[in-house]
Amino acid sequence: MANIISDETIEYVGILAKLELSDEEKEQAKSDMGRMLDYIDKLGELDTTGVEPMSHVFPVQNVFREDVVTNGDRREELLVNAPEQKDGMFMVPRTFE
């Protein structure tokens, strides 16, 4: 394992993730993180000559359309069902004082 993960790194990651890890879990996390970094190193050894950089594995194209309102203003129609309303809005009981 070329990438050595220190105890301090695991502690720091645990703090950032708001995790309380046991000693056994910390050792497992060190091992897992080390294997991940080793795999990334292995990927770095690949010959990518002639491979175009891409942002997604599959070809993705955004479909842009006009942002047009299709359902209009149905406020009055919706407020008919309101038990109480005020100034064009639903009135609801207070949830806290």
Side-chain angles (χ1 to χ4, degrees):
M1 183 173 359
N3 297 295
I4 309 252
I5 306 296
S6 68
D7 291 334
E8 291 80 23
T9 301
I10 295 298
E11 283 289 330
Y12 184 66
V13 170
I15 289 168
L16 290 176
K18 299 185 187 252
L19 296 174
E20 293 183 24
L21 301 173
S22 68
D23 291 338
E24 184 180 302
E25 290 170 326
K26 288 178 186 176
E27 288 303 315
Q28 182 64 45
K30 278 174 59 173
S31 172
D32 291 345
M33 290 176 95
R35 284 197 318 263
M36 285 184 243
L37 293 175
D38 286 342
Y39 185 71
I40 291 169
D41 287 345
K42 191 173 191 177
L43 289 175
E45 297 171 8
L46 292 173
D47 180 17
T48 56
T49 307
V51 177
E52 294 277 329
M54 59 182 155
S55 62
H56 201 278
V57 177
F58 302 107
V60 176
Q61 294 180 348
N62 287 329
V63 179
F64 294 104
R65 62 175 171 75
E66 283 294 315
D67 189 14
V68 179
V69 177
T70 57
N71 60 355
D73 183 15
R74 299 177 32 207
R75 179 182 301 199
E76 295 302 321
E77 183 183 333
L78 295 171
L79 285 173
V80 170
N81 296 318
E84 288 185 59
Q85 55 178 298
K86 180 180 178 183
D87 300 326
M89 296 177 276
F90 284 89
M91 288 284 295
V92 297
R94 294 182 102 163
T95 55
F96 57 91
E97 296 296 320

